[in-house]
Amino acid sequence: MRGKASEPGGQKTLPVAKRVLELTVNGDRYEVAVEPWTSLAQVLRDELRLTGTKVGCNEGDCGACTVLVDGRSVSSCLYLAVEAEGRDVTTIEGLAETPDTLHPLQEAFIEHGGLQCGFCTGGMLMSSAFLLSHTPEPDEGEIRRGLSGNLCRCTGYNKIVESVDAAAKRLAADEGGTA
Ligand code: FES
Ligand code: FES
């Protein structure tokens, strides 16, 4: 626990040395100095300015901070930055193939009204991307379960589920067309 620097009768807190990490985020290498308790979300937003990763609850409940680490979805508010060293981190900024294009999931969310304020959307998209990476053609129940850790306070979930379903079908059709 962090205490006050000096407090009558209390403990003195010694400064904790920061550690320099090498992180790979969206294919780019970064060096950042972090404290042992710094979350990955803090590094992404405050150091790398990748603010598409949102922090809603900061407790692992809302999913707004979801990113992929080595292809698996994690809540970056609970994931320590030091744990990400040597791993590949993907944020919403790196979901599409290039910065000038949209991922099929992003296109489907726009076309099917899967977002309103957008606060949850980055996390929804990253969880959806993880879902489709291991279940390319999910049924409705699988989509709902795949997004069960992501909360939306405005759109309602039906349009989000429709969006993921549409993206999955488009990706499957594209895959079939190129096979
Ligand atoms: S901000 Fe991380 S789960 Fe809510
Ligand atoms: S679109 Fe506003 S929180 Fe989901």
Side-chain angles (χ1 to χ4, degrees), residues 41 54-66 74-78 119 149 151:
K54 305 300 184 195
V55 175
C57 64
N58 212 20
E59 294 182 348
D61 289 333
C62 75
C65 65
T66 305
V74 304
S75 295
S76 63
C77 69
L78 295 183
F119 191 85
L151 304 182

